[in-house]
Amino acid sequence: MGKITLDKVTKRFGDVEVIPPLDLTIDEGEFVVFVGPSGCGKSTLLRLIAGLEDVSGGQIRINGEDATLTPPAKRGLAMVFQSYALYPHMSVRKNIAFPLRMADMDQAEQDRRIDNAAKILNLTDYIDRRPGQLSGGQRQRVAIGRAIVREPVAFLFDEPLSNLDAALRVGMHHEITELHARLKTTMIYVTHDQVEAMTMADKIVVLRAGNIEQVGSPLELYRAPCNLFVAGFIGSPKMNLLTGEVAKLHDATTIGIRPEHIAVSTTEGMWKGRVGVTEHLGSDTFLYVHDTGLAEDITVRVSGEVDVKYGDTIYLTPDTHQLHRFDQAGRRISN
Ligand code: ADP
Ligand code: MG
């Protein structure tokens, strides 16, 4: 079980309302990612759920029971932070065992849980080492192990991988996703990185200034962002957002077209432009196209095989089935 319900949950620090009244349901077994720019309230929201901060208003229910005033240790949630907070003088085994020793758990049961967590996380061979003798990724796995042995109702992760280099991060994404598939325990994962959100989540909650902008699966957000903020936030490179005449043609204030939904030709197309910077990723190439006569420059994503270079003239044609339209308030206009 691991259903978490937030009902008009509010947080003020002094006079500043960081989280305006917010409703959210996290279903049992879901992998939910809170994503949004730095300072938007992701950590605060997670800490409210964990009980590390008191709510200023509203109710938090865990598995249907009011947990708003329940102390953190009694909520059955396990939090994993960016700083691993391991005890340097203790072995991996002792670090993982720590919450169980605190709870005075029977030794045989402790051993069973620790061995199981070590196996799941590939830490068995390192179990007698100290944190200083481990890599960053292994240390983060120990921190996760310490959460697993508690057999929590839900795992709460606050940007747990920000300290790791890019390659390790990708490896850990897979491990955490795999862990979720195996344990089927509810997970809430906080990140400012939309790629992390897209690759890991069942359900993404996009936050801005403490407000939920949109909740949906990665593909729902990609296909139908509800406003300009989500349109610009989800997807890399960013969706092209065009204003002026071209938008008016489509009865909108702004139209959006993703870089991967624009065809490129050297001979003909809707917009003629000049290639600026090109970024070669190997599989794909990103082109930044100027002088199209539109108010904004255009980013296009083409196959890595396409042979264009700085200064070339090219023609662009958007796939009109993939256009997004937004009104004056920046809200999506449904088709
Ligand atoms: P995020 O995790 O999305 O980067 P935070 O939840 O840490 O954002 O912070 C949200 C906002 O709340 C920020 O404006 C931050 O300055 C403010 N804030 C966070 N904690 C406190 C605190 N203890 N006292 C006052 N303001 C805080
Ligand atoms: Mg944070």
Side-chain angles (χ1 to χ4, degrees):
M1 288 283 279
K3 178 169 173 163
I4 299 170
T5 315
L6 309 185
D7 193 0
K8 309 232 167 6
V9 164
T10 312
K11 181 62 180 176
R12 281 185 296 275
F13 289 112
D15 294 341
V16 184
E17 192 173 62
V18 174
I19 310 279
L22 175 149
D23 294 331
L24 180 68
T25 300
I26 293 162
D27 286 319
E28 185 187 341
E30 259 186 333
F31 196 123
V32 176
V33 175
F34 295 168
V35 69
S38 183
C40 72
K42 305 179 294 291
S43 296
T44 302
L45 192 55
L46 201 67
R47 291 169 60 81
L48 290 170
I49 294 170
L52 301 173
E53 297 279 358
D54 296 330
V55 301
S56 308
Q59 193 190 52
I60 298 171
R61 290 194 298 281
I62 299 176
N63 292 331
E65 292 195 16
D66 187 353
T68 317
L69 301 175
T70 308
K74 297 257 163 69
R75 294 192 187 195
L77 308 173
M79 194 138 170
V80 180
F81 300 93
Q82 179 187 120
S83 58
Y84 322 119
L86 301 179
Y87 298 100
H89 58 284
M90 288 186 194
S91 65
V92 168
R93 171 175 284 280
K94 286 227 162 99
N95 265 287
I96 294 179
F98 193 77
L100 307 182
R101 293 222 311 276
M102 288 291 103
D104 240 341
M105 185 180 283
D106 163 86
Q107 189 62 47
E109 177 62 11
Q110 281 194 33
D111 290 342
R112 184 191 69 78
R113 291 190 183 196
I114 295 163
D115 292 341
N116 183 42
K119 206 162 84 201
I120 289 175
L121 295 165
N122 281 323
L123 285 170
T124 308
D125 293 344
Y126 309 97
I127 200 85
D128 296 318
R129 289 203 194 170
R130 290 187 181 179
Q133 300 166 304
L134 301 176
S135 70
Q138 288 165 341
R139 281 180 218 173
Q140 190 53 274
R141 296 216 293 269
V142 177
I144 295 171
R146 198 166 48 188
I148 290 178
V149 291
R150 294 178 52 196
E151 302 188 350
V153 167
F155 290 89
L156 312 183
F157 294 94
D158 193 352
E159 311 229 16
L161 309 182
S162 302
N163 283 337
L164 305 180
D165 67 44
L168 258 179
R169 245 192 341 257
V170 172
M172 286 303 290
H173 288 166
H174 292 172
E175 287 190 27
I176 294 175
T177 308
E178 184 82 41
L179 186 68
H180 179 250
R182 286 178 123 191
L183 299 177
K184 299 184 177 64
T185 307
T186 306
M187 294 189 177
I188 308 177
Y189 188 102
V190 162
T191 178
H192 63 275
D193 178 354
Q194 64 91 22
V195 175
E196 255 184 22
M198 291 295 279
T199 51
M200 298 174 81
D202 295 323
K203 181 157 103 186
I204 298 179
V205 178
V206 182
L207 291 165
R208 175 169 59 159
N211 286 296
I212 294 181
E213 297 286 305
Q214 190 168 2
V215 177
S217 72
L219 284 180
E220 280 164 359
L221 300 198
Y222 176 82
R223 288 182 182 141
C226 72
N227 60 30
L228 284 176
F229 178 79
V230 178
F233 194 74
I234 298 288
S236 175
K238 277 172 67 148
M239 184 189 286
N240 294 288
L241 297 170
L242 309 175
T243 55
E245 284 305 314
V246 70
K248 281 205 196 103
L249 271 175
H250 296 276
D251 285 326
T253 304
T254 307
I255 57 165
I257 183 80
R258 295 199 183 276
E260 52 273 41
H261 296 148
I262 299 174
V264 167
S265 160
T266 52
T267 54
E268 59 186 351
M270 190 175 292
W271 303 318
K272 182 181 176 186
R274 186 177 48 80
V275 177
V277 171
T278 59
E279 291 176 353
H280 296 279
L281 272 68
S283 57
D284 301 317
T285 300
F286 304 154
L287 310 176
Y288 298 90
V289 182
H290 312 295
D291 302 337
T292 55
L294 301 164
E296 293 84 7
D297 289 342
I298 306 260
T299 308
V300 189
R301 173 183 203 150
V302 295
S303 154
E305 310 298 316
V306 171
D307 184 24
V308 286
K309 57 183 189 309
Y310 188 91
D312 283 358
T313 294
I314 56 167
Y315 295 84
L316 307 177
T317 307
D319 177 350
T320 49
H321 293 108
Q322 303 285 0
L323 278 185
H324 304 261
R325 299 185 304 139
F326 301 95
D327 66 15
Q328 199 161 7
R331 285 180 306 240
R332 181 182 195 80
I333 303 169
S334 52
N335 295 318

